[in-house]
């Protein structure tokens, strides 16, 4: 049973998270569920998105390392995707 509720993305689009959500939908990462869960704390959600974007969209990390990070994160939460 989940310990946290998922917020409605449309409601979150009315907050300062709107540009981050749009970017996520455009890049198809991170999943909108990221915001639906993290949106309980708007400031933390914003900081996490900025960090994500810095690493995955603007950083100089090699693509192979990004894939390793994605696989490790997937395994950490038992995601079969």
């Amino acid at each position: 049973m989940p310990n946290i509720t998922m917020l409605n993305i449309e409601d979150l689009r009315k907050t300062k998270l709107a540009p981050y959500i749009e970017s996520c939908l455009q890049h198809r990462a991170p999943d909108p569920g990221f915001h639906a869960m993290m949106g309980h704390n708007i400031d933390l959600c914003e900081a996490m998105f900025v960090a994500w974007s810095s690493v995955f969209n603007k950083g100089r990390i090699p693509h192979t390392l990004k894939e390793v990070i994605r696989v490790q994160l997937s395994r950490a939460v038992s995601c079969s995707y």
Side-chain angles (χ1 to χ4, degrees), residues 4 8 10-11 16 19 27 30 32 38 50-51 57 77-78:
I4 192 166
N8 185 311
E10 293 307 316
D11 292 339
K16 69 179 182 176
H27 290 102
M38 296 291 291
V50 169
N57 298 332
V77 296
S78 301

Side-chain angles (χ1 to χ4, degrees), residues 15-36:
T15 70
K16 69 179 182 176
L17 295 178
Y20 303 116
I21 292 170
E22 295 307 318
S23 177
C24 288
L25 294 173
Q26 178 186 357
H27 290 102
R28 297 189 305 180
D31 184 275
F34 169 85
H35 296 290

